Amino acid sequence: MTIYDFKVLNQKGEEESLAQFEGKVLLVVNTATKCGFTPQYDALEKMYEELKDQGFEILDFPCDQFFHQAPGSDEEINQVCSLRFNTQFRRFKKTIVRGKDVIPLYQWLTSQNEKGKPKAIKWNFTKFLISRKGEVVGRFEPADKPENFVEQVREELKK
């Protein structure tokens, strides 16, 4: 199984296959607009702008599970991200990333954990690096700033 086997809901609530990203290096991140880690949007956008022409995509899944730090509708979240952080990468419908209602994509992502990494999502801005083959090749916890793992993304893009 790879990430390309999953379907998720876009911001309009329509199902989309992640197979559309086949052959690209992906960074999947659960986000929140009112979190202490929200400033990472700036670094994520910088990474996206620098690497998108090399086959890199960021898939943003807003999540309101952690102390209600992603309030508002999907459209309101999109406006905050677009206007405040000027993000241009793909954002999907607000979703559940842990617990009994976790979406299948996040069930799979967390089952691919590396030795020593927690299985469950602890907080907003947990990031998963996905290879061009659709496999999880890295996991970065919320405190891991994008500028600290951009080299790993660049290396993955060379493969």
Side-chain angles (χ1 to χ4, degrees):
M1 182 166 249
T2 70
I3 197 167
Y4 309 128
D5 296 314
F6 293 94
K7 293 181 180 177
V8 295
L9 297 178
N10 65 23
Q11 288 186 327
K12 295 177 183 176
E14 302 164 338
E15 197 172 71
E16 281 189 28
S17 172
L18 294 181
Q20 67 184 298
F21 298 104
E22 192 165 349
K24 295 192 174 202
V25 171
L26 307 174
L27 189 69
V28 178
V29 57
N30 63 295
T31 62
T33 54
K34 296 197 179 274
C35 173
F37 295 113
T38 301
Q40 287 187 23
Y41 269 125
D42 288 327
L44 289 168
E45 180 60 25
K46 181 178 178 184
M47 182 188 301
Y48 176 69
E49 284 297 314
E50 176 190 338
L51 302 174
K52 68 181 179 181
D53 292 338
Q54 297 173 46
F56 177 65
E57 294 287 339
I58 296 176
L59 308 183
D60 178 355
F61 291 88
C63 177
D64 197 34
Q65 286 185 274
F66 306 101
F67 289 116
H68 195 54
Q69 293 182 342
S73 67
D74 290 308
E75 182 54 37
E76 289 168 328
I77 290 170
N78 194 46
Q79 286 178 358
V80 168
C81 293
S82 298
L83 298 174
R84 184 170 169 207
F85 298 101
N86 196 32
T87 59
Q88 298 177 50
F89 46 81
R90 288 292 308 272
R91 188 165 299 102
F92 294 87
K93 187 162 189 61
K94 196 186 303 187
T95 195
I96 304 294
V97 301
R98 78 172 187 189
K100 66 180 179 72
D101 296 324
V102 63
I103 65 169
L105 171 63
Y106 269 85
Q107 285 178 340
W108 177 77
L109 287 169
T110 56
S111 75
Q112 305 299 302
N113 61 317
E114 299 171 24
K115 185 177 180 180
K117 295 280 186 177
K119 185 172 181 171
I121 301 292
K122 288 182 174 180
W123 204 255
N124 304 308
F125 288 87
T126 299
K127 299 159 281 287
F128 293 88
L129 182 60
I130 311 296
S131 73
R132 292 184 190 274
K133 295 178 181 178
E135 301 165 339
V136 175
V137 292
R139 176 175 172 160
F140 309 101
E141 296 306 314
D144 294 329
K145 297 177 182 178
E147 54 269 27
N148 294 338
F149 60 82
V150 68
E151 284 305 319
Q152 190 172 342
V153 175
R154 286 186 187 117
E155 286 302 312
E156 198 60 40
L157 284 163
K158 292 177 185 175
K159 296 179 182 176

